[in-house]
Amino acid sequence: MTDSDSSYGVSDAFLDHLDQLARQNSGSWWRDVLKRDDVFLAVRRNSLNVYYRGGSIFRIDDRGDGTASPKTHVKYLVRQQQALAELVDGEFRPNGIGWTHYAGQETLRDMIRAASDLAGAEKSGLHPMIMGSPAVVDVEIALGRAQEREGNGSMADGAGSSANRSLDRLDVATLERQGTDIAVVFHEAKHFTNTALRARSGVPAVVGQLRRYRSTLSHHTPALIARYQAACRAILRLGAMRRHVRSDSGAGVPLPCDPMVQEVATGNAGLTIDPKPRLIIFGFDADQKKGQLQVILNALKTADPNVMVYAAGDPSSAGGAFRPPTKL
């Protein structure tokens, strides 16, 4: 990627620096991240996010000088082995409840456990589907709503305040062949218990949510094409780092990049944006599948025949979440 592309994705100098960290024999937090096969690396605007069950355990900023600045929220730094802290004269003792330095894989494991404890049912359920599909190229996508853009009308990128109602937040982006092109397809995931799937009267709230997403995606199409072309170029390099580290450490071969990623990265395929986000419903049992789920699907079909749905009772064994679905 050239410097002119840096508004989308990250710079070559930044990736070169991470590659050097990946090749250090020990003591590299980045090498420890790459050893894991259960975290997702999302390419942002001049940064990366390391996600576990929807929690960004690292945000790695591109400083602009070829170096990286990793950050994390303090909520992920709780020492899991510390069972109790006594309150004495208004002070919690011991006061070393959280990690104050990176001490190798033990620290990273505690960060992963903290993220797991904080994750809700939807993020936890979606995680194995994300990690099981090489076609996934992004998660936790924040975009400024078409009708509620801020002053310069630009896209939001990366983490932001959940209270900011001017943002639409889509769960997953994947690549999919559509004719002679490759399309970026967006997905919204809902646990079966989510009330947005149901309506006592009228249209379920999720239908309005998906309609709003269509407008947002259509508005941002040109910028999204540039964004994911740059992201795919970075994903190729990150995948190479991951393969080197896991092979070098005997951690096993990671899930390979989908061939579509390389086609987009090298410009060998046209890239388009599918403006119709899809719905994933998961977390129901066999009885619910025969009963309540059918009621939900019928209501969605009545409200909007164009809604595309994939239903998976057990997300840990769902293999088709990001394949082309059929209409209801």
Side-chain angles (χ1 to χ4, degrees), residues 56-186:
S56 177
I57 59 173
F58 276 116
R59 190 188 80 197
I60 311 166
D61 290 337
D62 182 348
R63 285 188 173 128
D65 60 355
T67 60
S69 174
K71 300 177 177 66
T72 190
H73 196 285
V74 293
K75 64 187 177 184
Y76 299 126
L77 296 179
V78 176
R79 285 180 177 267
Q80 299 296 322
Q81 73 274 17
Q82 179 63 55
L84 295 173
E86 184 180 7
L87 183 61
V88 180
D89 297 329
E91 179 185 357
F92 284 106
R93 298 178 184 173
N95 55 15
I97 298 172
W99 287 99
T100 59
H101 65 287
Y102 187 78
Q105 294 189 44
E106 183 182 359
T107 304
L108 184 57
R109 283 194 294 267
D110 275 358
M111 295 171 71
I112 292 289
R113 292 191 192 102
S116 181
D117 291 342
L118 293 167
E122 285 185 344
K123 299 302 182 185
S124 295
L126 184 59
H127 187 74
M129 289 189 272
I130 291 170
M131 300 311 303
S133 173
V136 175
V137 291
D138 204 0
V139 299
E140 303 294 326
I141 305 119
L143 300 173
R145 292 181 186 173
Q147 70 275 26
E148 297 181 21
R149 300 189 304 276
E150 297 186 10
N152 61 3
S154 62
M155 289 192 301
D157 202 341
S161 169
S162 60
N164 187 343
R165 297 184 181 276
S166 68
L167 298 181
D168 277 327
R169 299 181 180 279
L170 297 97
D171 290 318
V172 182
T174 61
L175 297 181
E176 178 181 294
R177 295 190 188 277
Q178 294 186 359
T180 59
D181 293 330
I182 293 175
V184 182
V185 181
F186 296 85

Side-chain angles (χ1 to χ4, degrees), residues 1-327:
M1 186 189 310
T2 65
D3 289 341
S4 61
D5 294 323
S6 62
S7 60
Y8 302 106
V10 290
S11 67
D12 279 336
F14 174 74
L15 292 171
D16 289 343
H17 175 69
L18 291 181
D19 192 44
Q20 291 175 2
L21 290 178
R23 295 177 185 278
Q24 291 181 4
N25 291 329
S26 62
S28 167
W29 59 272
W30 177 237
R31 186 177 172 89
D32 289 341
V33 166
L34 294 175
K35 286 179 184 177
R36 299 194 67 101
D37 60 3
D38 57 354
V39 296
F40 185 88
L41 308 179
V43 182
R44 298 292 183 234
R45 187 190 303 269
N46 298 320
S47 67
L48 302 175
N49 280 91
V50 180
Y51 283 106
Y52 182 81
R53 297 193 179 186
S56 177
I57 59 173
F58 276 116
R59 190 188 80 197
I60 311 166
D61 290 337
D62 182 348
R63 285 188 173 128
D65 60 355
T67 60
S69 174
K71 300 177 177 66
T72 190
H73 196 285
V74 293
K75 64 187 177 184
Y76 299 126
L77 296 179
V78 176
R79 285 180 177 267
Q80 299 296 322
Q81 73 274 17
Q82 179 63 55
L84 295 173
E86 184 180 7
L87 183 61
V88 180
D89 297 329
E91 179 185 357
F92 284 106
R93 298 178 184 173
N95 55 15
I97 298 172
W99 287 99
T100 59
H101 65 287
Y102 187 78
Q105 294 189 44
E106 183 182 359
T107 304
L108 184 57
R109 283 194 294 267
D110 275 358
M111 295 171 71
I112 292 289
R113 292 191 192 102
S116 181
D117 291 342
L118 293 167
E122 285 185 344
K123 299 302 182 185
S124 295
L126 184 59
H127 187 74
M129 289 189 272
I130 291 170
M131 300 311 303
S133 173
V136 175
V137 291
D138 204 0
V139 299
E140 303 294 326
I141 305 119
L143 300 173
R145 292 181 186 173
Q147 70 275 26
E148 297 181 21
R149 300 189 304 276
E150 297 186 10
N152 61 3
S154 62
M155 289 192 301
D157 202 341
S161 169
S162 60
N164 187 343
R165 297 184 181 276
S166 68
L167 298 181
D168 277 327
R169 299 181 180 279
L170 297 97
D171 290 318
V172 182
T174 61
L175 297 181
E176 178 181 294
R177 295 190 188 277
Q178 294 186 359
T180 59
D181 293 330
I182 293 175
V184 182
V185 181
F186 296 85
H187 309 261
E188 176 67 19
K190 300 291 186 191
H191 192 272
F192 179 74
T193 59
N194 194 309
T195 57
L197 297 172
R198 300 166 176 80
R200 292 187 177 181
S201 61
V203 178
V206 70
V207 173
Q209 184 180 10
L210 293 172
R211 287 173 178 167
R212 191 180 69 243
Y213 287 175
R214 292 174 197 167
S215 176
T216 296
L217 292 172
S218 294
H219 173 76
H220 288 302
T221 289
L224 287 169
I225 290 174
R227 170 174 172 164
Y228 286 108
Q229 287 171 332
C232 284
R233 291 192 288 270
I235 289 169
L236 281 184
R237 291 204 59 185
L238 293 170
M241 292 181 211
R242 200 167 217 164
R243 288 191 297 275
H244 168 78
V245 167
R246 290 181 63 82
S247 175
D248 187 51
S249 63
V253 180
L255 194 67
C257 289
D258 192 286
M260 291 184 288
V261 174
Q262 182 165 2
E263 291 179 50
V264 172
T266 57
N268 290 333
L271 186 66
T272 62
I273 302 299
D274 190 329
K276 298 179 180 179
R278 299 171 186 170
L279 177 63
I280 300 172
I281 303 174
F282 63 91
F284 49 85
D285 60 28
D287 289 337
Q288 291 167 332
K289 180 178 180 179
K290 296 176 182 177
Q292 295 179 49
L293 178 63
Q294 293 307 311
V295 174
I296 290 172
L297 295 179
N298 290 337
L300 293 174
K301 181 179 180 180
T302 300
D304 188 344
N306 293 316
V307 171
M308 308 286 271
V309 179
Y310 176 80
D314 180 3
S316 64
S317 61
F322 304 121
R323 295 174 186 165
T326 56
K327 290 183 181 180

